mmCIF file with all atom_site columns, all heavy atoms in Angstrom:
data_model
loop_
_atom_site.group_PDB
_atom_site.id
_atom_site.type_symbol
_atom_site.label_atom_id
_atom_site.label_alt_id
_atom_site.label_comp_id
_atom_site.label_asym_id
_atom_site.label_entity_id
_atom_site.label_seq_id
_atom_site.pdbx_PDB_ins_code
_atom_site.Cartn_x
_atom_site.Cartn_y
_atom_site.Cartn_z
_atom_site.occupancy
_atom_site.B_iso_or_equiv
_atom_site.pdbx_formal_charge
_atom_site.auth_seq_id
_atom_site.auth_comp_id
_atom_site.auth_asym_id
_atom_site.auth_atom_id
_atom_site.pdbx_PDB_model_num
ATOM 1  N N   . PHE C 1 34 ? 2.846   3.933  2.622  1.00 94.00 ? 1500 PHE C N   1
ATOM 2  C CA  . PHE C 1 34 ? 3.819   4.845  2.036  1.00 94.00 ? 1500 PHE C CA  1
ATOM 3  C C   . PHE C 1 34 ? 3.183   6.126  1.536  1.00 94.00 ? 1500 PHE C C   1
ATOM 4  O O   . PHE C 1 34 ? 3.870   7.135  1.363  1.00 94.00 ? 1500 PHE C O   1
ATOM 5  C CB  . PHE C 1 34 ? 4.655   4.166  0.938  1.00 94.00 ? 1500 PHE C CB  1
ATOM 6  C CG  . PHE C 1 34 ? 3.935   3.839  -0.334 1.00 94.00 ? 1500 PHE C CG  1
ATOM 7  C CD1 . PHE C 1 34 ? 3.992   4.696  -1.408 1.00 94.00 ? 1500 PHE C CD1 1
ATOM 8  C CD2 . PHE C 1 34 ? 3.229   2.653  -0.463 1.00 94.00 ? 1500 PHE C CD2 1
ATOM 9  C CE1 . PHE C 1 34 ? 3.343   4.393  -2.592 1.00 94.00 ? 1500 PHE C CE1 1
ATOM 10 C CE2 . PHE C 1 34 ? 2.590   2.342  -1.635 1.00 94.00 ? 1500 PHE C CE2 1
ATOM 11 C CZ  . PHE C 1 34 ? 2.640   3.208  -2.702 1.00 94.00 ? 1500 PHE C CZ  1
ATOM 12 N N   . ILE C 1 35 ? 1.872   6.116  1.339  1.00 96.00 ? 1501 ILE C N   1
ATOM 13 C CA  . ILE C 1 35 ? 1.165   7.343  0.971  1.00 96.00 ? 1501 ILE C CA  1
ATOM 14 C C   . ILE C 1 35 ? -0.266  7.238  1.484  1.00 96.00 ? 1501 ILE C C   1
ATOM 15 O O   . ILE C 1 35 ? -0.842  6.148  1.521  1.00 96.00 ? 1501 ILE C O   1
ATOM 16 C CB  . ILE C 1 35 ? 1.220   7.600  -0.545 1.00 96.00 ? 1501 ILE C CB  1
ATOM 17 C CG1 . ILE C 1 35 ? 0.750   8.997  -0.888 1.00 96.00 ? 1501 ILE C CG1 1
ATOM 18 C CG2 . ILE C 1 35 ? 0.467   6.553  -1.310 1.00 96.00 ? 1501 ILE C CG2 1
ATOM 19 C CD1 . ILE C 1 35 ? 1.076   9.412  -2.302 1.00 96.00 ? 1501 ILE C CD1 1
ATOM 20 N N   . GLN C 1 36 ? -0.818  8.369  1.898  1.00 95.00 ? 1502 GLN C N   1
ATOM 21 C CA  . GLN C 1 36 ? -2.166  8.363  2.466  1.00 95.00 ? 1502 GLN C CA  1
ATOM 22 C C   . GLN C 1 36 ? -2.899  9.639  2.073  1.00 95.00 ? 1502 GLN C C   1
ATOM 23 O O   . GLN C 1 36 ? -2.312  10.722 2.053  1.00 95.00 ? 1502 GLN C O   1
ATOM 24 C CB  . GLN C 1 36 ? -2.084  8.285  3.989  1.00 95.00 ? 1502 GLN C CB  1
ATOM 25 C CG  . GLN C 1 36 ? -3.426  8.309  4.690  1.00 95.00 ? 1502 GLN C CG  1
ATOM 26 C CD  . GLN C 1 36 ? -3.266  8.328  6.195  1.00 95.00 ? 1502 GLN C CD  1
ATOM 27 O OE1 . GLN C 1 36 ? -2.924  9.345  6.769  1.00 95.00 ? 1502 GLN C OE1 1
ATOM 28 N NE2 . GLN C 1 36 ? -3.499  7.181  6.814  1.00 95.00 ? 1502 GLN C NE2 1
ATOM 29 N N   . PHE C 1 37 ? -4.181  9.473  1.763  1.00 95.00 ? 1503 PHE C N   1
ATOM 30 C CA  . PHE C 1 37 ? -5.072  10.620 1.609  1.00 95.00 ? 1503 PHE C CA  1
ATOM 31 C C   . PHE C 1 37 ? -5.990  10.631 2.816  1.00 95.00 ? 1503 PHE C C   1
ATOM 32 O O   . PHE C 1 37 ? -6.620  9.628  3.137  1.00 95.00 ? 1503 PHE C O   1
ATOM 33 C CB  . PHE C 1 37 ? -5.903  10.531 0.325  1.00 95.00 ? 1503 PHE C CB  1
ATOM 34 C CG  . PHE C 1 37 ? -6.849  11.690 0.177  1.00 95.00 ? 1503 PHE C CG  1
ATOM 35 C CD1 . PHE C 1 37 ? -6.425  12.868 -0.395 1.00 95.00 ? 1503 PHE C CD1 1
ATOM 36 C CD2 . PHE C 1 37 ? -8.150  11.610 0.644  1.00 95.00 ? 1503 PHE C CD2 1
ATOM 37 C CE1 . PHE C 1 37 ? -7.282  13.955 -0.510 1.00 95.00 ? 1503 PHE C CE1 1
ATOM 38 C CE2 . PHE C 1 37 ? -9.019  12.683 0.528  1.00 95.00 ? 1503 PHE C CE2 1
ATOM 39 C CZ  . PHE C 1 37 ? -8.582  13.853 -0.054 1.00 95.00 ? 1503 PHE C CZ  1
ATOM 40 N N   . ASN C 1 38 ? -6.075  11.769 3.486  1.00 91.00 ? 1504 ASN C N   1
ATOM 41 C CA  . ASN C 1 38 ? -6.958  11.942 4.626  1.00 91.00 ? 1504 ASN C CA  1
ATOM 42 C C   . ASN C 1 38 ? -7.839  13.142 4.325  1.00 91.00 ? 1504 ASN C C   1
ATOM 43 O O   . ASN C 1 38 ? -7.328  14.225 4.032  1.00 91.00 ? 1504 ASN C O   1
ATOM 44 C CB  . ASN C 1 38 ? -6.129  12.169 5.895  1.00 91.00 ? 1504 ASN C CB  1
ATOM 45 C CG  . ASN C 1 38 ? -6.970  12.242 7.139  1.00 91.00 ? 1504 ASN C CG  1
ATOM 46 O OD1 . ASN C 1 38 ? -8.042  12.832 7.147  1.00 91.00 ? 1504 ASN C OD1 1
ATOM 47 N ND2 . ASN C 1 38 ? -6.470  11.636 8.209  1.00 91.00 ? 1504 ASN C ND2 1
ATOM 48 N N   . SER C 1 39 ? -9.158  12.975 4.381  1.00 90.00 ? 1505 SER C N   1
ATOM 49 C CA  . SER C 1 39 ? -10.066 14.061 4.016  1.00 90.00 ? 1505 SER C CA  1
ATOM 50 C C   . SER C 1 39 ? -9.953  15.248 4.959  1.00 90.00 ? 1505 SER C C   1
ATOM 51 O O   . SER C 1 39 ? -10.290 16.369 4.579  1.00 90.00 ? 1505 SER C O   1
ATOM 52 C CB  . SER C 1 39 ? -11.513 13.559 3.967  1.00 90.00 ? 1505 SER C CB  1
ATOM 53 O OG  . SER C 1 39 ? -11.937 13.136 5.246  1.00 90.00 ? 1505 SER C OG  1
#
Side-chain angles (χ1 to χ4, degrees):
F1500 70 96
I1501 192 167
Q1502 178 184 75
F1503 179 86
N1504 185 320
S1505 64

